[in-house]
Amino acid sequence: MSPSSTPYFLTTPIYYVNDSPHIGHAYTSLACDVIARFLRSEGSEVMFLTGTDEHGQKVEKSAKQHNLDPQKFVDEVSKRFRKLSELMDFSNDDFIRTTEARHIKSCQALWKRISDGKTPNGQDSNIYLGKYDGWYSVRDEAFYDESELIKDTKNPSNYLAPTGASVEWVEEPSYFFRLSAWQDKLLEFYENNPEFVAPQSRRNEVISFVKGGLRDLSISRTSFSWGIPVPDDDSHIMYVWLDALTNYITGINFPEITSDKWNKYWPASLHMVGKDILRFHAVYWPAFLMSAGIEPPQRVFAHGWWTNEGQKISKSLGNVIDPEVIVRKYGVDAVRYFLLREVPFGNDGYFSHASMVTRINKDLANDFGNLAQRVLSMISKNFEGVIPYPQKNAECNFKSFETLSLSQNLLSKVSPLIHKQAFNEALDRIWEVVREANRSIDKDEPWKLKKKNKSGMGTILWLQAETIRNLAIILKPFMPQSMDRLLDQLNIPLDERNIVNLHEDNEGDICQKYSLRPDSKLPKPVAIFPKYICEFED
Ligand code: ME8
């Protein structure tokens, strides 16, 4: 039934705790949450990891600005990211913090494995001590080559990182990772694993970056101390990206590589990231792992960037979209739906309140909400709230019967789309059936059968209610709270709300095998998606 019943391990980036969470962080974690819920619903074992990135110069600087000791500071800010998980209803199985003892142990163990190993020529060690002279951006926590810098248009004598972040000159002793030696192995890996980087356009970028030649990477710092000490040389702390990437293996028990969790979940099925941090995940991370004799992850998906009404989201522009504010305004499920429906996953998105309200009123209230409301209130008014018993298949020539079939075939279309992170297309397929269901009620006109063919009317309503049940189960990973409220209204038992409870054919006695039970008395219908009425300012 499920395309993959092998265990599935997926991760979000771990977020820097220099700032409060915003809509961009919520977006990446939401995408993972939908996949995690969907696969669990299909019957797979899933491990969904998120957390916070708490070391490095950027975080240390922020703590100083707040006049707080870094540990106190990260303890506070990390809580806001945990709250984001609650607010957005994320179902992560673990929340990792890079200041935890388990992570420090894991980073030092990985470092040792890398430094004990040799480069592919079998002669050089992967790590050597040298001196870094070059540019560093604290905002990006990244080293830049002079040739990558761009002129600052506001101050032409100044240079910036290609991301627009300011850079500073750094000269300090540093350990280096011999990345240059892993170039061919990386290219071979991409060649043999065409699905490793998605979308395809990002894969091409990664390959051409690596083909352009790789320089050895500085992996330790000495000019500040907020980080994990390098094993056997605590005058150095690890480069924050080596520390951060390691969270993915800490989360499944590294260095306990004989543990069940490790064996079950590594290599990771999917690292979900924004396009800004693809290079770290698709180049440095597999190289670190290969050099430590560990298999690289299976896939890295780099999604697009949200702007606020077309403007880059940034604290200095004062246009940060606070997830708490929009969830309070529109409701958590409407926000979840909007973010994954509005743009093809992988493309950039344009957040605007106007498009949010259009989605709520059109897709949620008019299409799906209306479908549920019509069917449930007709059952309530005409059958005293008791689900009618349908006629046998042979007697059914209602359009609603075809719609039920469409809803039964929907999973085979939606599941592969979720497995390739095509959320927007998946929702599109689901909405085709929602709209078809509304059309079929209009065509069947059950209200006209009230007097002359009550059992026909009951059959139509049963077929529609069963269609709604199927839709709600498939949509539940996207909008868990509202779909649960809808399934409550259909009296579907809690343990029958999963994809494994869907049925794929109409043969035989149609009601026997379904969990929508005729004769079941339903609660009074309540609208699940009310229209959003815009407040106009005076
Ligand atoms: O980079 N649109 O953390 P970070 C879409 N700690 N997604 C956005 C976004 C936007 N406008 N803004 C942020 C780090 N994101 C490192 C990661 S992982 C080993 C270490 C999302 O707090 C997107 O996923 O800067 C992006 O990659 C991530 O937040 C960056 O989060």
Side-chain angles (χ1 to χ4, degrees):
M1 194 257 341
S2 146
S4 110
S5 47
T6 47
Y8 197 95
F9 175 36
L10 81 170
T11 65
T12 74
I14 47 169
Y15 305 110
Y16 286 128
V17 286
N18 63 309
D19 207 351
S20 294
H22 65 66
I23 197 75
H25 307 119
Y27 183 54
T28 319
S29 298
L30 168 64
C32 288
D33 185 61
V34 170
I35 298 172
R37 286 176 181 274
F38 198 93
L39 298 192
R40 286 189 205 113
S41 182
E42 283 188 321
S44 292
E45 274 184 282
V46 174
M47 166 78 194
F48 167 20
L49 179 69
T50 187
T52 43
D53 188 354
E54 307 191 354
H55 288 129
Q57 214 172 348
K58 172 151 88 169
V59 172
E60 192 189 63
K61 253 186 161 172
S62 284
K64 274 206 184 107
Q65 279 161 4
H66 287 82
N67 267 329
L68 282 173
D69 156 70
Q71 188 63 53
K72 275 220 172 75
F73 176 70
V74 299
D75 288 348
E76 276 315 303
V77 186
S78 177
K79 278 189 208 148
R80 295 187 211 154
F81 282 89
R82 270 186 202 268
K83 277 203 182 138
L84 175 73
S85 274
E86 283 163 35
L87 175 83
M88 295 292 298
D89 211 359
F90 296 151
S91 62
N92 48 293
D93 298 288
D94 197 351
F95 186 100
I96 189 164
R97 300 182 53 192
T98 55
T99 48
E100 288 172 310
R102 60 170 170 162
H103 181 67
I104 294 165
K105 179 175 149 200
S106 161
C107 280
Q108 292 182 328
L110 181 65
W111 180 291
K112 271 193 159 300
R113 275 181 81 120
I114 298 174
S115 71
D116 288 348
K118 295 271 184 247
T119 58
N121 70 12
Q123 278 156 26
D124 300 317
S125 41
N126 284 311
I127 294 180
Y128 62 92
L129 185 60
K131 182 168 173 250
Y132 181 76
D133 289 330
W135 297 102
Y136 190 77
S137 157
V138 177
R139 192 187 88 184
D140 299 346
E141 293 285 19
F143 300 95
Y144 288 108
D145 190 38
E146 184 130 345
S147 63
E148 289 178 280
L149 301 186
I150 53 169
K151 254 204 181 115
D152 181 354
T153 46
K154 286 190 202 125
N155 177 6
S157 60
N158 202 23
Y159 282 85
L160 298 173
T163 56
S166 55
V167 287
E168 59 189 46
W169 183 258
V170 170
E171 277 185 34
E172 60 187 30
S174 174
Y175 285 98
F176 284 82
F177 173 65
R178 218 180 288 273
L179 182 62
S180 54
W182 288 92
Q183 179 171 346
D184 291 343
K185 285 278 171 209
L186 281 169
L187 290 171
E188 194 183 303
F189 175 69
Y190 304 141
E191 179 74 27
N192 295 337
N193 296 277
E195 300 294 316
F196 174 63
V197 180
Q200 186 68 30
S201 56
R202 302 272 169 226
R203 172 182 152 84
N204 300 340
E205 277 171 24
V206 167
I207 293 177
S208 63
F209 173 75
V210 174
K211 278 192 174 152
L214 295 174
R215 287 154 32 103
D216 293 349
L217 183 70
S218 164
I219 51 165
S220 75
R221 302 289 313 267
T222 44
S223 51
F224 66 98
S225 59
W226 184 237
I228 297 177
V230 165
D232 307 321
D233 186 353
D234 59 13
S235 60
H236 290 249
I237 54 163
M238 290 183 203
Y239 172 39
V240 66
W241 267 102
L242 173 55
D243 164 344
L245 289 160
T246 306
N247 94 85
Y248 300 134
I249 56 176
T250 310
I252 51 164
N253 284 357
F254 186 81
E256 314 305 332
I257 55 172
T258 51
S259 70
D260 287 350
K261 214 170 195 179
W262 177 267
N263 284 316
K264 191 188 278 183
Y265 290 117
W266 194 261
S269 317
L270 175 67
H271 293 320
M272 183 69 83
V273 298
K275 63 181 182 181
D276 54 326
I277 55 175
L278 178 61
R279 189 182 293 182
F280 299 95
H281 284 81
V283 182
Y284 304 159
W285 182 226
F288 291 151
L289 288 167
M290 286 195 249
S291 75
I294 302 172
E295 212 181 321
Q298 292 175 351
R299 186 166 167 92
V300 177
F301 192 107
H303 67 64
W305 213 239
W306 280 95
T307 57
N308 185 353
E309 317 260 351
Q311 244 187 354
K312 182 176 175 355
I313 299 176
S314 96
K315 215 161 135 185
S316 54
L317 292 172
N319 65 352
V320 169
I321 302 160
D322 180 348
E324 210 175 316
V325 172
I326 56 167
V327 164
R328 211 178 312 124
K329 200 172 164 103
Y330 302 113
V332 61
D333 282 347
V335 172
R336 289 175 63 109
Y337 174 78
F338 171 81
L339 290 175
L340 293 180
R341 179 69 185 86
E342 191 63 5
V343 280
F345 200 66
N347 293 6
D348 290 340
Y350 179 105
F351 183 92
S352 84
H353 289 276
S355 37
M356 177 94 212
V357 170
T358 306
R359 285 281 170 205
I360 294 177
N361 289 347
K362 214 171 132 285
D363 301 8
L364 298 182
N366 270 1
D367 294 341
F368 196 62
N370 186 38
L371 170 70
Q373 191 62 14
R374 299 167 90 177
V375 172
L376 288 167
S377 59
M378 274 192 269
I379 294 176
S380 167
K381 283 195 192 118
N382 299 289
F383 294 87
E384 292 166 357
V386 176
I387 301 185
Y389 211 89
Q391 296 162 320
K392 288 268 154 54
N393 298 3
E395 298 159 46
C396 294
N397 56 2
F398 298 117
K399 194 85 184 143
S400 299
F401 196 76
E402 285 167 33
T403 310
L404 175 60
S405 294
L406 290 179
S407 77
Q408 286 162 335
N409 295 332
L410 193 53
L411 182 65
S412 61
K413 295 195 182 127
V414 169
S415 177
L417 293 169
I418 299 293
H419 283 256
K420 59 174 195 169
Q421 299 86 39
F423 304 101
N424 151 287
E425 257 184 88
L427 288 168
D428 222 19
R429 292 289 93 75
I430 299 171
W431 250 256
E432 279 168 11
V433 178
V434 169
R435 296 200 186 97
E436 194 49 44
N438 271 319
R439 275 195 290 269
S440 64
I441 302 183
D442 294 341
K443 184 94 199 313
D444 289 340
E445 302 180 308
W447 49 89
K448 285 197 176 158
L449 304 180
K450 205 172 183 163
K451 294 229 165 69
K452 55 177 193 224
N453 182 4
K454 187 91 186 262
S455 78
M457 180 188 200
T459 300
I460 296 167
L461 293 178
W462 187 89
L463 291 167
Q464 290 290 345
E466 180 69 11
T467 301
I468 293 170
R469 180 196 80 111
N470 292 343
L471 290 167
I473 287 176
I474 296 180
L475 275 172
K476 201 176 145 187
F478 290 91
M479 298 185 282
Q481 295 180 14
S482 352
M483 291 307 106
D484 263 334
R485 280 200 297 275
L486 181 56
L487 291 161
D488 286 345
Q489 296 195 47
L490 288 168
N491 271 358
I492 305 296
L494 285 175
D495 59 353
E496 293 180 18
R497 296 180 178 188
N498 287 312
I499 286 170
V500 289
N501 302 109
L502 293 173
H503 307 275
E504 284 167 8
D505 66 83
N506 291 321
E507 296 306 312
D509 179 354
I510 48 176
C511 15
Q512 283 228 326
K513 27 183 202 178
Y514 300 128
S515 54
L516 184 69
R517 299 199 170 87
D519 296 339
S520 166
K521 169 93 178 147
L522 303 183
K524 199 172 159 17
V526 187
I528 39 158
F529 293 123
K531 268 211 157 99
Y532 184 84
I533 313 291
C534 289
E535 316 123 18
F536 291 103
E537 281 155 23
D538 298 329

